[in-house]
Amino acid sequence: MRPLAMRRFTSILSIALLAGTLAAPTAAGATLTPVGFESCLLELINSDRAASGVGPLEMAYDLNDEVRDFSQKIGLEGTLRHMVSSERNPILPDGTSTWRENVGWHSLPNLPGCSGMHDMFMNSPPHRANLLSSDVRFIALGVYMGPSGTWVTELFFNSSTYNVPGAFGDGLFWDDDGSVFEADIEKLAAAEITSGCNPPMNNMFCPDDSLTRGQMAAMLVRALDLTATNGVDFIDDNDSLFESDIEKLAAAGITLGCNPPANTRYCPDDSLTRGQMAAMIVRALALTATNGTEFVDDNNSVFEADIERLAAADITHGCNPPANTNFCPYARVTRGQMAAFLARAMSL
């Protein structure tokens, strides 16, 4: 428990935000984990604060678990409410002088997404006032996604003694500590193949989030140091952050598109499947050898040959350890899994 040693304590409670059926697209076009959702919210909050001439908030990483526990608590209770003092005081650090709190809920588990939830807060005057307040420097965020919906708690505070501890964990990213992919993720970062998932801070990797086709393009372009383009222009990537990377990937013959046989689209925001990943890496490394590896679940996959070449190169072992009789070609690739694939492929 963190005692509250302070001479002045200002509490500003906002009106709880209730939402029923509003739906908006998830930022980045993909379903986010709670940690990814929190990172997305912080990016949107700081963007709006910058537009309003207010300084950015720093994430209180060490407090997020406790705030997340509160969101889960009210989610399981099915009651939208603010923290009582006995719940809030142990979370706030020593030296806290001012705090504010937003709490929100939406009835669907993964909607309206972080951008929609943020818009709901911004469209409510008391919540907007908390988000844009100049008297707070830090924010602890907690998101719970359960059967009753998505529950969000935003705890803003200012403290004369608090510093963000361990923001980078044991390596460059703080959110991969304990992940089976941590070593591979750090190798990718050291090789400048990835910079993170929460620009501009980039101290998170989001290992459990699905990897998009656009993100895959960026990683492969950096890994292979691709620079050439050949005028390939997909019709659906003009507004994508990864447009340049996608064009370089196409010029190198690593991707053809996502809508064969026309292949006029790349689908940059779609989640990458393990089968698609196999094909891209096989083309990128010009792998041809097979060693008789036979997974039981890829016989009807168009990527069967690529999967066998990936296994022969020891880049994949399978998806169901320790047996590893399956490859799961249609499953989505997480960012952590891709770190492992690329680390092996590039011999990092």
Side-chain angles (χ1 to χ4, degrees), residues 165-179 182-183 186 203:
F168 294 92
D170 296 327
L172 180 61
F173 305 112
W174 70 266
D175 65 338
D176 64 351
D177 297 338
S179 169
E182 181 177 5
E186 298 297 341
N203 51 9

Side-chain angles (χ1 to χ4, degrees), residues 213-228 230 232 234 244-258 263 265-266 272 275-287 303 306 310 338 342 346:
R213 289 172 55 87
Q215 292 168 346
M216 177 63 170
M219 287 187 181
L220 283 177
V221 164
R222 295 185 199 122
L224 301 172
D225 195 24
L226 301 178
T227 58
N230 63 358
V232 174
F234 296 107
S244 176
D245 297 310
I246 293 167
E247 291 178 359
K248 292 170 185 174
L249 209 66
I254 296 172
T255 185
L256 303 175
C258 66
N263 284 324
R265 303 171 62 86
Y266 180 78
L272 190 76
Q276 292 169 342
M277 174 275 304
M280 286 188 180
I281 293 181
V282 164
R283 295 188 199 117
L285 301 182
L287 301 177
F303 303 111
D306 296 311
L310 212 64
M338 180 51 61
L342 284 182
M346 306 306 297

Side-chain angles (χ1 to χ4, degrees), residues 205-218:
F205 184 76
C206 306
D208 298 322
D209 282 3
S210 295
L211 185 78
T212 69
R213 289 172 55 87
Q215 292 168 346
M216 177 63 170

Side-chain angles (χ1 to χ4, degrees), residues 14 42 71 81 115 131 227 243 311 337:
S14 65
L42 179 61
S71 293
R81 64 176 178 84
S115 59
L131 288 164
T227 58
E243 181 180 10
Q337 290 169 346

